[in-house]
Every structure is written in C-alpha cells, then in structure tokens.
C-alpha cells in the first residue's frame, strides 16, 4: 500500500522497475523544467525527479513540497546521468508518475541533516525530529544491536533473563534514591532501584544459577555529560563461581560485542590491581592507550634545599615525550593555572626540560644541579626534547592531580586515538573506604561485596587501620579510561554480612529493617555467588568512540534532569496529592 521498497535499497539492478517509496522530504530543488526531491527514511535517501514536460501538474505539486512533508511516490527506476558516489542509491533516481501527500509538516526548527544547526536544548525539545537524523538513528540502532548480541551471547552461556521489580525498597549503591509514594500505604514510599543488586542475589539463593537483565536503574545524583538519572545496565549474577569465572565470562561478552559489531578482535585483557593502577596512573580507571606512567622521585628529590619537596609525602611526575620545545614560559604558566583551578587544586607545577646539549632547564634549577636532574631524567627514561612535569604533596591528592595532567597531556599530544580500544581489568579493590568528613567507612563497591578469603579473619577481628587494608574480590572493566562496569564476589554468609553492615555504621536494627530479607535468605542455603553490571549506555558510547551517553539514549534528560520534550518533572493536581496523602509545603525563597 505505501511502499514496494525503502529509500535505501534501490540500485542499478532495479533500473526499469516500477516502485513505490514512502518517506520524508529532505530537500526539494526546483530547476524550472526539472524538480528534484530527496526522499528519506531510516534506510537511506533516494532522489525523485519530476519533469514538467511529462506532467506539469505533478511537477507543480512537487514544487510545493516543504521540508519534512510525508509523501508516497510511484515511478520508474532509471539510471542517473549525474551520479552521486557518496550515496548508496546514488546511481539511480525515480522518474515519478504519481505522488500522494500523506501529511504536511511545519518548517522544522532545525535542519534534519547529519550536521544540524540545532542547539542541544532545542533538539531535546523536538527530540522526535532530532531522532530523524541519520547519526542519531544510527546510534539508537547500534544500541539495539548491542542489546541483541548481549542476549544472544548470554543465553548461549545459559543465562536466564529475569525481570526484577521497579517499585522496591532502597538499595544502597551510594546514591540518592528516587521515591514513589504509595497511595494504598499512606506515608510509605517505594524506591526505584539503583540496581537490582539484592534481587539478583536472591535469584542465586533460588537456584537460577546464571541471571541477566538489561535493566533500567535510577540514581538521583548531580548530572554530568556521562550521567543520567535513569540509565541502563547489563546486570548479571552467577552462582558457584570465583572471580576468575566472572572475569572470563564478561571478557568473553566484551570480545563478542566488539567482534560482531565493530569487527575488532582482542587478545586477553590485561589485569592490574587497584594499588598498581593508583601508583602507575593515579586512577582506578586508567586510559592505557598511552604510557606516560608515573615515576616517583622521593628517593632522589628530597634532601636538597627545596622545602616543598622535602615536606611532601609524595613527589611524582610524568614525562611528556618531545614536548620541551612546545612549552614556552607562557604556556607553562597557563598549564600551571589550569592545574591550580579548584577542580584539580594543584598548588604548583614543576617542570624540567631535557635539552639537546644534555643540560636541563627547570623551574627549580636553583635547588638542583644538572647532575641531580640527570638522575631524575634517567628514572623517566627521558631523552633530549622531553619534558618532565612534577607534582608533590599528600599521596592520594597528588596522584589524582597528576592523573588529570596525564590525561590532558594525552589529549594535547593526540595519544587518545579513535578506533584504538584498550580494555583493562582493575582488580583487588579495597573493601572499605574511609570518609574523613563523615568519619565513617563506606563500602568501596557496595555492602554485599565479600572481602578476599585471606582477609576475612582480619575483617572479623582487626582494628581501624586493618580495615583500611582489607581487599575485596571486586573488579572493574575499564576501556580507554572509561569504567564500563564493575562487580564483586558477594558475601553469602549471614554472620559476615552482619559484620560488614556493622563496619559500615549500620545498627543491628537498621540492617535488619533494610536487609533482613537478604540475610534471612542467606540462612536457607545461599550458594557462593558473584556478579557484575556493565553500564549499557556507556558501553554503547565507548564502542562508537563517543563519550556522551546521551547520544545513545532515545529520550535523554538534560543537565537539570528534565525531559524537555514531555516537560517532566511537573507539578501534579491537588486531588492527586491528597489521594497520596502528600502535602506540599514549598518554602518560597525570600
Ligand atoms: N550492582 C552493582 C552496580 O550497580 C554491580 C554488581 O555488583 O554486580 O554497580
């Protein structure tokens, strides 16, 4: 009725056939005797031609078509005299015999082309138009393929897809919950899941053995380019497994996805402990597409007259290859200021240039002889023309700051190459993290994570300092500096779980009220189990070398957490509030 073919499939072999196409008018060009219309659908663009000599009325009708009109055209496929090699259908065109206008369109507020003139907010408001654009559609279709291939791979591995509820009780993944008032239980609230963590563990107790779900999760956090209040996970759990089994299974999934959808084959993924990642890169998600690894200088830089270094807990630097000539004093000043912004908070930045004649130029040259600096340069393996950047201070902070500099230099030096994918497992995360401000421990991953077997005894009996040293069977998959996912082996023993809650500052009553069901389940034959979740939106983005997840979400929210198209969130009617037993008492700002 509407079409015999789509707008992307006609080729030379179809020449001479009568066809019918339906789609949107991309452009219409009027050359007097001839009118050309580009007709677009999801599959491509095909050129329609109207000849005034063949049918003047029809040609007139075509001339009046506006952008984004929906039409159906019937005609003959013919070879184009002026071929367009940039388009798969560029060898042919349709000599139109009849044209139905199926729907008119207002002039769209931005151009529906690969490169649009529309700003972010406008495109979000008219998301249905933005979603007509080729690159946006490609991303959403790619996402669908990643989901399909994930399902194929995991079901081949005997995983069962189980849906877990959306109206639940809070799960502590470290963020704020979105809550939903319960009409039938006045004064009570559901929480939307931050992840299906407890449910998937319960499914292991129930004997499902291998669970997965491509599932929406909700976290009420401040938003950034790579965060959305609702996002999707590939969520998994396995019983009777060790960390090794889980890493192998999900390394397999990642390889399968890259191979089938990007044609990229990986060898075995390297692994690095959390401690090593922090020491070598100052980050638990290092981008290992490039080196520029940290070199510590405590043993060679202390003991001279430079008090800043003498007083520092850590002196550490990176070597930017071949950059000495690229940084004038002014450039260095700018870079130093960049490092001193509150987001990074470095106090200063020391540089050492290795010069062609074997001498050195440095901001701290008066404290160190060339001989001293040569020792440093040797530690870095630096050559003439290279430039060292050195930071000092408290260990953790200094590493974080140098990580920012390393990434910035990587960007500036073009070392983060598109199409170069470098996966990495980071393993052996600490179990607990001490929060100086709140003076309490947080679970580094989440409270269900098991300490390593060899650390269980220490956890049960150790002191405060010991707690900081406990290691967990917890792991993250990182690709190109982006955390794709993480997981852990879980506690499956009630007593150990209780102890962990206690360390995290829960009273027995709180632990029981929130997680009594899980600890109860552990008393009925819980198998050893563990799992992982991949950030699905992020995985799609990284696989396509894009670093904003928004591009892979059909209906994303803006930085204020608003859906601009449907205009949500929004107030609700008074009766609705009453029914929910809610009273709004919004204090107006003075
Ligand atoms: N629930 C965890 C998360 O959302 C993943 C896991 O431990 O399996 O990060």
């Amino acid at each position: 009725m509407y079409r015999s073919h789509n707008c992307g499939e006609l080729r030379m072999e179809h020449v001479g056939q009568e066809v019918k196409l339906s789609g949107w008018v991309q452009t219409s060009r009027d050359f007097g005797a001839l009118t050309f219309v580009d007709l677009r659908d999801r599959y491509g663009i095909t050129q329609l031609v109207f000849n005034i000599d063949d049918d003047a009325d029809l040609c007139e009708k075509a001339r009046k078509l506006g952008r984004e009109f929906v039409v159906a055209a019937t005609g003959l496929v013919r070879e184009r005299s002026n071929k367009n090699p940039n388009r798969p259908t560029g060898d042919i065109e349709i000599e139109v015999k009849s044209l139905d206008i199926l729907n008119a369109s207002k002039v769209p507020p931005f151009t529906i082309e690969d490169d649009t003139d529309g700003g972010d907010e406008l495109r979000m408001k008219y998301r249905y138009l933005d979603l007509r654009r080729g690159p946006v559609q490609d991303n959403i279709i790619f996402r669908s393929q990643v989901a399909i291939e994930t399902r194929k791979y995991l079901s081949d591995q005997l995983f069962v897809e189980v849906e877990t509820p959306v109206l639940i009780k809070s799960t502590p993944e470290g963020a704020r919950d979105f809550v939903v008032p319960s009409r039938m239980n006045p004064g009570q609230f559901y929480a939307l899941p931050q992840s299906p963590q407890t449910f998937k563990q319960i499914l292991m107790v129930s004997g499902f053995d291998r669970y997965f779900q491509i599932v929406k999760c909700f976290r009420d956090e401040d938003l950034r380019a790579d965060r959305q209040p609702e996002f999707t996970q590939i969520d998994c759990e396995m019983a009777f497994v060790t960390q090794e089994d889980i890493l192998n299974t999900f390394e397999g999934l990642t390889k399968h996805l890259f191979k089938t959808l990007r044609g990229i084959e990986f060898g075995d993924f390297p692994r690095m402990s959390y401690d090593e990642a922090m020491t070598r890169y100052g980050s638990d998600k290092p981008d290992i597409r490039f080196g520029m690894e940290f070199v510590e200088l405590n043993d060679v830089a202390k003991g001279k007259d430079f008090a800043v270094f003498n007083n520092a807990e850590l002196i550490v630097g990176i070597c930017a290859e071949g950059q000495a000539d690229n940084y004038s004093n002014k450039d260095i000043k700018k870079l130093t200021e960049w490092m001193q912004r509150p987001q990074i908070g470095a106090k200063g930045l020391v540089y050492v240039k290795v010069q062609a004649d074997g001498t050195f130029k440095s901001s701290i040259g008066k404290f160190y002889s060339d001989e001293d600096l040569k020792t440093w340069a040797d530690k870095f393996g630096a050559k003439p023309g290279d430039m060292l950047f050195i930071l000092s201070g408290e260990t953790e902070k200094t590493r974080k700051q140098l990580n920012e500099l390393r990434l910035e230099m990587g960007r500036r030096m073009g070392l983060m190459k598109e199409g170069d994918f470098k996966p990495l497992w980071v393993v052996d995360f600490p179990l607990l993290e001490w929060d100086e401000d709140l003076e309490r421990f947080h679970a580094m991953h989440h409270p269900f994570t098991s300490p390593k077997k060899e650390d269980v005894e220490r956890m049960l009996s150790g002191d405060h300092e010991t707690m900081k040293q406990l290691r967990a069977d917890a792991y993250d998959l990182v690709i190109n500096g982006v955390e794709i996912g993480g997981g852990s082996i879980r506690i499956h023993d009630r007593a150990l779980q209780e102890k962990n809650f206690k360390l995290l500052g829960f009273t027995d009553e709180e632990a029981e009220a929130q997680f009594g069901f899980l600890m109860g389940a552990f008393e009925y034959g819980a198998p050893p189990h563990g799992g992982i979740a991949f950030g699905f939106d992020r995985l799609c983005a990284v696989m396509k070398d894009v670093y904003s997840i928004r591009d892979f979400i059909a209906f994303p929210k803006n930085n204020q957490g608003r859906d601009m198209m449907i205009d949500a969130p929004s107030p609700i009617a008074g009766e609705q509030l009453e029914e929910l037993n809610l009273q709004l008492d919004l204090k107006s700002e003075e």
Side-chain angles (χ1 to χ4, degrees), residues 173 194-195 197 200 219 233 235-237 445-446 486-488 490 531-533:
E173 303 271 353
Q194 294 188 32
S195 88
Q197 186 60 38
K200 66 176 176 174
R219 296 183 190 178
Q233 286 188 341
D235 189 46
C236 304
E237 197 74 5
H445 185 51
H446 53 51
S488 60
R490 326 298 184 189
I532 192 166

Side-chain angles (χ1 to χ4, degrees), residues 3 10 72 107 216 229 304 351 423 441 496 534 553:
R3 55 188 172 190
L10 295 172
V107 176
K216 271 288 171 73
K304 303 283 163 158
Y351 76 87
F441 281 113
L496 195 60
F534 280 3
I553 297 176

Side-chain angles (χ1 to χ4, degrees), residues 285-551:
K285 44 179 193 283
D287 187 338
I288 57 165
R289 279 177 295 181
F290 61 100
M292 234 193 277
E293 290 190 22
F294 290 13
V295 173
E296 299 188 358
L297 296 174
N298 285 24
D299 56 340
V300 292
K302 283 189 181 248
K304 303 283 163 158
D305 284 338
F306 190 43
V308 175
F309 279 6
N310 289 343
N311 298 332
E313 192 183 353
L314 179 71
I315 309 162
V316 60
I318 51 173
C319 172
E321 269 181 54
Q323 294 304 300
D325 289 342
N326 295 348
Y327 283 83
S328 65
N329 287 346
K330 207 168 130 202
D331 297 327
I332 294 169
K333 187 163 170 262
K334 265 206 207 140
L335 187 62
T336 308
E337 282 163 9
W338 185 85
M339 289 293 292
Q340 287 170 331
R341 292 172 311 146
Q343 296 96 306
I344 299 184
K347 292 217 179 71
L349 177 64
V350 167
Y351 76 87
V352 178
K353 286 182 177 181
V354 190
Q355 306 191 107
D357 61 1
T359 63
F360 297 88
K361 191 167 177 254
S362 170
S363 45
I364 50 170
K366 63 175 172 207
F367 302 109
Y368 298 92
S369 67
D370 273 4
E371 209 173 302
D372 295 330
L373 297 179
K374 167 103 179 42
T375 326
W376 301 12
D378 286 348
K379 280 201 133 202
F380 284 92
K383 309 175 300 305
D386 291 353
M387 178 147 187
L388 313 181
F389 290 110
I390 299 158
L391 294 178
S392 65
E394 190 260 315
T395 302
E396 215 174 298
K397 271 194 200 144
T398 308
R399 283 182 175 156
K400 273 197 187 130
Q401 294 162 354
L402 192 61
N403 165 52
E404 297 292 338
L405 182 63
R406 175 180 174 271
L407 293 176
E408 177 64 13
M409 292 310 294
R411 264 187 292 271
R412 291 185 182 189
M413 292 163 65
L415 302 174
M416 298 168 168
K417 296 212 177 64
E418 255 189 42
D420 182 18
F421 295 101
K422 286 281 163 4
L424 169 73
W425 286 111
V426 179
V427 298
D428 303 343
F429 274 81
L431 181 71
L432 304 167
E433 191 177 24
W434 180 248
D435 184 326
E436 293 287 349
D437 299 334
L438 297 178
E439 300 211 323
R440 49 163 289 199
F441 281 113
H442 291 297
M444 188 104 173
H445 185 51
H446 53 51
F448 314 108
T449 296
S450 173
K452 284 188 171 294
K453 262 208 179 88
E454 61 269 24
D455 278 355
V456 171
E457 266 318 304
R458 296 206 297 160
M459 173 179 165
L460 291 174
S461 58
D463 60 9
H464 184 88
E465 277 314 300
T466 310
M467 291 306 131
K468 291 186 187 168
Q469 292 156 13
L470 300 174
R471 287 294 174 266
D473 277 326
Y475 32 80
D476 276 357
L477 176 65
V478 177
I479 301 180
N480 294 359
V482 179
E483 182 194 326
I484 296 298
S488 60
I489 295 295
R490 326 298 184 189
I491 297 169
H492 62 280
D493 168 79
R494 176 163 190 136
L496 195 60
Q497 187 65 68
E498 277 177 350
K499 170 74 183 174
N500 204 28
F501 281 133
K502 212 170 249 147
L503 286 175
L504 295 169
F506 286 75
T507 63
D508 288 347
E509 293 71 34
E510 283 167 346
E512 187 58 36
Q514 286 189 51
F515 303 110
F517 67 96
L518 185 66
M519 292 192 288
F522 286 173
E523 293 179 287
Y524 288 92
H529 61 284
I532 192 166
F534 280 3
F536 182 59
D537 317 276
R538 238 184 242 181
L539 174 65
C540 294
V542 167
M543 285 183 77
K544 282 284 209 174
D545 255 317
V546 173
Y547 291 84
S548 161
I549 63 170
R550 240 190 232 181
D551 297 354

